[in-house]
Amino acid sequence: MKIQLLVISILTTAVCFSVHARDYYGYERVGRDDAEYVYINGDRYARVPQKEVVEVQPRYQVVNYNEGWVSEPRYQRQSYQQPRYYEVSKRSSFDVRPYIGLDAGMSSMKINDKDDKYGLKDLDMKMGDIFDTKHTNFSGVLGVKINPYLAVELFYQKALESEKTIFSGNNEIAKGSIKDTLSYKALGVDVIGHKPLNDVLDILFGVGLAQYSFDGKVSRRVYNYTTDNLYKLDVTDDEDVMAVRLGLGLQYYLTDHIALQAMGRYIHMFDDDIVKHMIEMSLGVRYLF
């Protein structure tokens, strides 16, 4: 009988300890749309153990003067769950995440003023006078975030063609015009450094190399009324240039998978036969897998 009582006591103690352990190390209930992790001061945390904190109500004495006795009422103890987090990875640890992106931007060029590039000397004009230096562009991005501090992007960019009328005239003998078009595309790689300011906002520092292809065209049209003839002259030029890209921007995380990005870049051409450098401003979105 004593042995049976001893076994029952041991089992009862083990069960109570197990129940208490499960209660103490229970996981916090998380909604379906809640993030699996949280970031606090740049560090990554997961939702785990909750510590039960017990608060005891103060005890008061109630005196019954008629009966001559004192009673001490009992109050139930109130408890609440205090969520706790434990750190699962530092921001500096490896957490590779591929992503895709789309950017839309505006660029402004500094044209090299070589006045004899397209035979403009006789017109008393320079390169900067004939080309539209502002362009709208779009970029597609494939990237990988190696860790919370570093990412690498492969991008392809296409600028919309711009047209500019630089001369238009009409008289009794003839009418004429000179127009130009300019567009470009680029393919390159950027290395993006991330500096977290808080849980959802990063400062971005970018450096990269890209191949830019410029397509320029100058068209002259003169119609002679007396001879009823139209004279056409088109001068085209395609040029491929390597460039270095320096960027500074911000990235804001709407969710753990979607981020908005604003970026400004200075782009310096190694061969400045047509374009010396560009300033680019862009807005984009990133989807992280």
Side-chain angles (χ1 to χ4, degrees):
M1 185 67 178
K2 291 183 179 180
I3 295 178
Q4 293 178 351
L5 290 176
L6 179 60
V7 171
I8 292 174
S9 299
I10 293 174
L11 292 177
T12 302
T13 303
V15 170
C16 292
F17 181 80
S18 176
V19 171
H20 176 73
R22 286 197 300 270
D23 180 69
Y24 183 81
Y25 291 102
Y27 287 89
E28 178 185 3
R29 185 178 298 275
V30 179
R32 176 177 298 178
D33 297 328
D34 290 346
E36 183 180 359
Y37 303 105
V38 295
Y39 290 93
I40 301 175
N41 296 326
D43 294 328
R44 191 179 183 194
Y45 292 81
R47 306 169 185 266
V48 267
Q50 301 174 344
K51 180 180 180 181
E52 182 175 343
V53 179
V54 178
E55 292 184 350
V56 181
Q57 292 283 355
R59 303 167 69 90
Y60 301 93
Q61 289 184 341
V62 178
V63 180
N64 190 324
Y65 294 99
N66 296 326
E67 298 296 333
W69 52 267
V70 177
S71 64
E72 190 175 90
R74 295 182 179 181
Y75 293 86
Q76 292 183 348
R77 296 187 302 173
Q78 294 183 351
S79 63
Y80 63 94
Q81 297 293 326
Q82 181 183 12
R84 298 180 63 194
Y85 303 92
Y86 76 92
E87 189 173 356
V88 294
S89 64
K90 290 285 189 181
R91 295 285 293 230
S92 59
S93 63
F94 286 90
D95 187 13
V96 177
R97 299 186 66 184
Y99 61 88
I100 58 175
L102 180 66
D103 295 336
M106 294 288 297
S107 64
S108 178
M109 301 179 181
K110 174 62 177 176
I111 302 294
N112 196 338
D113 288 327
K114 292 183 177 181
D115 57 3
D116 59 346
K117 176 67 177 176
Y118 297 109
L120 300 174
K121 185 175 290 187
D122 57 335
L123 298 176
D124 193 25
M125 299 180 68
K126 295 183 178 181
M127 290 273 291
D129 299 326
I130 67 172
F131 286 117
D132 189 356
T133 59
K134 292 179 171 55
H135 290 79
T136 301
N137 59 64
F138 297 94
S139 302
V141 175
L142 292 176
V144 57
K145 198 170 183 183
I146 299 173
N147 58 49
Y149 297 100
L150 187 65
V152 179
E153 294 183 352
L154 174 66
F155 74 92
Y156 175 78
Q157 184 180 80
K158 174 66 176 177
L160 300 181
E161 185 178 78
S162 65
E163 182 178 275
K164 181 179 180 181
T165 300
I166 57 178
F167 173 78
S168 181
N170 190 9
N171 55 35
E172 297 80 2
I173 301 176
K175 67 176 181 179
S177 65
I178 301 177
K179 296 182 179 181
D180 79 87
T181 60
L182 180 65
S183 65
Y184 67 87
K185 53 184 177 290
L187 178 65
V189 176
D190 287 329
V191 177
I192 309 296
H194 289 249
K195 173 61 178 177
L197 292 181
N198 52 44
D199 297 343
V200 296
L201 185 63
D202 290 355
I203 296 180
L204 305 180
F205 306 92
V207 59
L209 287 174
Q211 178 85 10
Y212 283 80
S213 298
F214 295 95
D215 297 322
K217 179 180 179 181
V218 178
S219 301
R220 299 185 186 184
R221 299 291 185 268
V222 178
Y223 178 74
N224 192 311
Y225 294 114
T226 59
T227 61
D228 193 24
N229 288 325
L230 177 63
Y231 299 94
K232 300 180 181 180
L233 177 62
D234 294 328
V235 180
T236 61
D237 191 13
D238 300 332
E239 184 164 331
D240 296 334
V241 183
M242 286 294 297
V244 60
R245 295 158 47 97
L246 303 176
L248 180 64
L250 294 172
Q251 183 158 298
Y252 180 80
Y253 294 88
L254 296 175
T255 69
D256 191 42
H257 295 280
I258 301 175
L260 300 179
Q261 185 182 109
M263 200 77 172
R265 284 186 173 90
Y266 171 79
I267 304 163
H268 183 77
M269 307 297 166
F270 292 138
D271 184 355
D272 59 359
D273 197 31
I274 295 180
V275 179
K276 297 181 69 174
H277 59 257
M278 289 197 300
I279 300 295
E280 181 181 285
M281 303 296 295
S282 65
L283 294 175
V285 61
R286 300 290 185 269
Y287 182 84
L288 295 89
F289 295 97

